Amino acid sequence: MSGIVELGGQFVDGLGVVLRFFHDATEGIAGDYSWALAIVLLTVVVRILLLPLAIKQINSMRGMQKIQPEIKKIQKKYKVDREVMKTDPEKYRAQRQKQQEAMMALYKEHNVNPAGGCLPLLAQAPIFFALFRLLFSDRIPELQDAPFFLIDSLASLPMQAGTDGGPAIGAFLLAILMGATTFLTQKQMMASNPASSQMPQQKVLLYVMPIMLMVFSFNIPVGVLIYWVTTNLWTMGQQWFMFRNVVSEAPNPSKT
């Protein structure tokens, strides 16, 4: 366990070195905002490094869309009756198992991974938490006084980011922008996958998740918010470019 903690500390220190490099490289241009710009540049570098995973995500989505008619056939053939779960649990489990086995065989046949869409998000998680730790530590003391647009400190929470120690308009705008860009990226994702856009739970998540994340964002440092917003903006552009082919190849649900 101590080895994992030590490795995590080294990762945070390495992230600090990268941030300081970008700060020093842009200080002459951005001045006091160079630390915020360093976080933006860090985000861009991370997303460029994750492009192979993003391409794999798109290929997985394309593969899932192509086999949607087959998935519907399996669901119809091995229809799972939830009422049976109450009256005959063993029969219900057998039905579920047959459906899952048929689905897994279909995925294997077409070399599709349903979880492939989560890869870029999972890969970014260590950066997100490392930046969180960096802003809450004294590894880079300058971050405590690094300002941004109407914000006193990148290390402060939105409710404490004002010059008087109170709420900052700039932090509130960042939180709203984070929620808005999260909504737009999800809407893009759903538009590229007509099958998922018909699912009621997906429509609920489209509106509920951005609001929940926006509320959550008031408990994270402003610097992490900048990383988050930059990631969403990059994702929007990346999805716009990559999803054009996916949408054009997507089967029409009305014809299946």
Side-chain angles (χ1 to χ4, degrees):
M1 186 68 180
S2 60
I4 296 177
V5 173
E6 183 179 352
L7 183 61
Q10 292 175 353
F11 184 74
V12 175
D13 289 336
L15 186 69
V17 171
V18 175
L19 272 182
R20 190 172 289 280
F21 169 79
F22 284 134
H23 166 268
D24 294 345
T26 60
E27 188 175 16
I29 302 172
D32 291 340
Y33 291 169
S34 54
W35 283 113
L37 182 57
I39 294 175
V40 172
L41 293 175
L42 170 70
T43 311
V44 172
V45 169
V46 169
R47 294 312 304 263
I48 291 174
L49 293 175
L50 291 180
L51 273 177
L53 288 182
I55 293 172
K56 190 172 183 179
Q57 175 192 33
I58 299 304
N59 289 337
S60 178
M61 287 184 58
R62 185 180 291 117
M64 287 294 293
Q65 288 176 350
K66 286 182 178 179
I67 65 174
Q68 279 300 315
E70 297 298 322
I71 291 176
K72 290 182 179 180
K73 288 180 182 178
I74 291 175
Q75 291 173 339
K76 186 176 181 180
K77 182 178 180 180
Y78 302 102
K79 187 175 181 180
V80 179
D81 189 353
R82 293 189 178 275
E83 292 297 323
V84 178
M85 182 171 59
K86 301 177 182 178
T87 59
D88 193 345
E90 290 187 6
K91 183 178 179 181
Y92 174 80
R93 284 194 293 269
Q95 289 176 335
R96 288 280 297 175
Q97 185 175 354
K98 286 182 180 180
Q99 186 185 89
Q100 290 172 357
E101 288 175 352
M103 289 287 195
M104 294 304 296
L106 180 65
Y107 296 151
K108 185 175 181 181
E109 178 185 353
H110 293 273
N111 193 28
V112 170
N113 181 6
C118 301
L119 292 176
L121 181 62
L122 292 175
Q124 282 191 91
I127 303 291
F128 181 89
F129 290 109
L131 183 58
F132 193 99
R133 284 185 58 187
L134 189 64
L135 288 163
F136 271 146
S137 70
D138 57 356
R139 286 177 167 88
I140 303 181
E142 298 96 311
L143 286 172
Q144 304 298 323
D145 300 316
F148 190 51
F149 175 66
L150 299 176
I151 295 170
D152 188 44
S153 169
L154 298 179
S156 60
L157 303 181
M159 294 298 294
Q160 305 163 336
T163 54
D164 58 352
I169 296 176
F172 276 95
L173 292 176
L174 267 179
I176 293 171
L177 184 58
M178 185 277 296
T181 52
T182 299
F183 171 81
L184 292 173
T185 53
Q186 285 186 307
K187 194 174 180 66
Q188 266 186 323
M189 183 78 72
M190 288 179 62
S192 71
N193 190 350
S196 68
S197 64
Q198 303 302 316
M199 300 171 65
Q201 58 268 34
Q202 292 293 332
K203 292 182 178 180
V204 171
L205 283 175
L206 175 64
Y207 295 98
V208 173
M209 185 177 290
I211 295 174
M212 290 178 60
L213 291 177
M214 191 162 57
V215 172
F216 170 73
S217 70
F218 288 103
N219 294 310
I220 63 176
V222 170
V224 177
L225 263 181
I226 293 174
Y227 176 88
W228 202 334
V229 170
T230 306
T231 292
N232 284 349
L233 292 173
W234 177 281
T235 301
M236 286 171 58
Q238 180 176 280
Q239 288 182 166
W240 175 83
F241 180 79
M242 291 184 168
F243 284 173
R244 290 180 301 174
N245 294 331
V246 176
V247 173
S248 64
E249 294 180 11
N252 189 336
S254 64
K255 296 181 180 181
T256 58

